[in-house]
Amino acid sequence: MKNEQVSKLIYNFNKDSFQADLISWFNKEQRQLPWREDKDPYKIWVSEIMLQQTKVDTVIPYFARFIERFPTLNDLAAAEEQDVLKAWEGLGYYSRARNLQTAVKEVAASYDSKVPEDPKALGSLKGVGPYTKGAILSIAYDQPEPAVDGNVMRVLSRVLMIDEDIAKQKTRRIFEECVQEIISPNNPSAFNQGLMELGALICTPSSPSCLLCPVRQHCKAYAEGVQQDLPIKSKSKKQKKVEYFAFIVKDQTGRYLIEQRPEKGLLANLWQFPMAPFAETDEEHAAGWFEQVYGLKITINGKVDDIKHVFSHLIWDVTVMEATVEEGSLRTSQSKFVPSQELKDYPFPVSHQKMLKHAR
């Protein structure tokens, strides 16, 4: 049974004309992107995971390197996790890479290495939410499934004049049902990609280029002159700020101390230089804290950098210190000394990649 609210939103909406205008524009104006060169569901899957919370221009070179390194689904399934994280290094949100590989392994083991065409089977895979599922099914398999991301919600909030808060999960369901009603059954791939492309190029968050819009005549918000007021989005919570010391520690042979982060949580399994929260020590007592935790007596030679890194939910402010080992025996199993020329082989988060220049 169709949602009554959705029925009202699409009442008198000429979906056939909207589909034709949108698809015609997309076929003429779409950007040439590497994952659009064919309809390989594996490549589409990789691109959609990379594009989550990351701009297209940033993703393009990463996608090219990743596919060169893991050209097929089976190559990714068989890879070592550290190799996958290294290929992902710099993109951030590393749980995306781990979830992708976990899901790919399941496809290799349970679906004869073929990305499932069945919505339920595809949606059950690790890290495959409603948007990713809809994108793969519509783009790779031409199934009329909704693929609703931020771009799509922005476009349709204006076209259908939906004034619900897009930050709420229940609102996304309204958009998915609207897409389900108006999607082209004949060309769902171009329809969904057209909505995404329109949001990226024309129907932008601020100052939308309405005079260039191919579906302007269908846009209720434009007709009312309120396109700048949509979509409605409540403000996210303020990010928590955490301050750290980071230690670039060199031993007597010129090797540098690095450690692997825990298997779960933020930046899981990535490598970093040792860090101490300001809450646990200060600059005057940092050497004592280090000896207590790592079993190494160090001389701190001074501060060499200040690094700020912004996550979606918190901010790291890191004071980077250089230090030299005087004596002691390393007591933590997650840590080890590595020659400077080998540091490049380990996957580091962006904040610690910025510190590598001090270890060369």
Side-chain angles (χ1 to χ4, degrees):
M1 183 177 176
K2 192 185 302 181
N3 184 310
E4 184 178 343
Q5 184 179 6
V6 172
S7 297
K8 290 179 180 178
L9 288 168
I10 63 173
Y11 179 71
N12 275 346
F13 183 73
N14 190 333
K15 62 180 181 181
D16 292 335
S17 178
F18 178 77
Q19 292 166 7
D21 290 342
L22 179 66
I23 291 171
S24 174
W25 171 81
F26 176 72
N27 287 335
K28 293 175 184 174
E29 304 295 336
Q30 64 175 293
R31 291 169 291 179
Q32 298 304 306
L33 302 174
W35 47 88
R36 287 178 177 165
E37 292 175 0
D38 54 42
K39 287 196 169 186
D40 182 342
Y42 166 65
K43 293 178 183 176
I44 291 168
W45 187 2
V46 171
S47 72
E48 292 297 342
I49 298 299
M50 285 188 168
L51 286 165
Q52 292 171 8
Q53 298 176 287
T54 309
K55 294 179 180 178
V56 168
D57 289 345
T58 301
V59 165
I60 290 172
Y62 279 96
F63 176 83
R65 289 194 294 268
F66 196 88
I67 294 300
E68 183 179 5
R69 179 70 181 81
F70 312 110
T72 69
L73 186 146
N74 285 329
D75 290 321
L76 180 57
E80 294 291 332
E81 184 188 79
Q82 288 289 292
D83 291 338
V84 176
L85 292 175
K86 183 63 181 177
W88 203 272
E89 185 182 58
L91 265 180
Y93 302 100
Y94 292 90
S95 60
R96 295 182 297 175
R98 285 188 290 271
N99 290 342
L100 174 62
Q101 189 182 30
T102 298
V104 159
K105 286 180 177 179
E106 184 175 346
V107 171
S110 303
Y111 299 100
D112 197 26
S113 300
K114 185 178 186 299
V115 179
E117 295 183 51
D118 175 65
K120 187 174 181 180
L122 183 59
S124 71
L125 296 174
K126 185 86 169 177
V128 178
Y131 166 76
T132 304
K133 178 183 72 173
I136 294 170
L137 292 176
S138 62
I139 298 170
Y141 295 128
D142 284 310
Q143 294 186 30
E145 289 282 334
V148 174
D149 67 354
N151 280 330
V152 171
M153 286 197 286
R154 183 169 60 255
V155 170
L156 291 184
S157 71
R158 291 166 176 168
V159 170
L160 299 176
M161 210 150 78
I162 302 174
D163 58 3
E164 300 284 344
D165 183 355
I166 66 170
K168 295 181 178 179
Q169 188 59 38
K170 65 177 183 179
T171 302
R172 181 179 292 269
R173 184 61 193 153
I174 294 171
F175 282 95
E176 288 172 349
E177 290 184 24
C178 285
V179 173
Q180 196 76 67
E181 292 296 324
I182 67 174
I183 193 170
S184 166
N186 301 316
N187 197 347
S189 173
F191 180 90
N192 276 347
Q193 290 185 90
L195 284 179
M196 299 172 203
E197 197 81 335
L198 193 65
L201 302 181
I202 303 292
C203 197
T204 50
S206 58
S207 303
S209 304
C210 295
L211 296 181
L212 300 177
C213 181
V215 295
R216 185 178 71 241
Q217 69 181 40
H218 306 282
C219 184
K220 296 179 182 179
Y222 178 77
E224 297 288 334
V226 295
Q227 65 271 26
Q228 296 275 19
D229 300 327
L230 294 169
I232 304 296
K233 185 177 183 180
S234 57
K235 292 183 179 179
S236 57
K237 294 180 181 178
K238 189 175 181 180
Q239 293 158 306
K240 180 183 178 182
K241 181 178 178 181
V242 184
E243 296 176 299
Y244 289 97
F245 291 110
F247 301 92
I248 311 294
V249 178
K250 184 165 64 172
D251 70 5
Q252 303 296 334
T253 66
R255 299 176 303 165
Y256 288 89
L257 182 63
I258 60 173
E259 62 184 6
Q260 190 170 29
R261 292 180 64 87
E263 289 183 3
K264 298 187 182 298
L266 183 66
L267 305 174
N269 282 342
L270 295 183
W271 291 80
Q272 66 178 25
F273 295 103
M275 288 173 57
F278 274 26
E280 294 184 14
T281 188
D282 55 29
E283 191 166 346
E284 183 180 354
H285 300 95
W289 176 92
F290 196 94
E291 183 174 6
Q292 184 177 7
V293 173
Y294 293 91
L296 299 172
K297 186 175 182 179
I298 62 172
T299 297
I300 294 178
N301 303 318
K303 185 177 85 168
V304 293
D305 212 343
D306 286 304
I307 292 173
K308 180 178 181 179
H309 187 73
V310 180
F311 298 91
S312 58
H313 60 296
L314 83 160
I315 299 171
W316 277 3
D317 269 338
V318 186
T319 299
V320 185
M321 318 282 285
E322 273 190 349
T324 307
V325 176
E326 299 299 333
E327 60 183 13
S329 178
L330 188 60
R331 65 162 63 119
T332 58
S333 60
Q334 287 76 34
S335 307
K336 62 181 178 179
F337 282 96
V338 175
S340 60
Q341 65 269 24
E342 293 181 14
L343 289 172
K344 67 181 186 307
D345 299 328
Y346 292 82
F348 286 86
V350 170
S351 54
H352 287 255
Q353 288 177 49
K354 295 176 181 177
M355 301 176 200
L356 285 170
K357 63 187 178 184
H358 301 295
R360 289 172 179 161

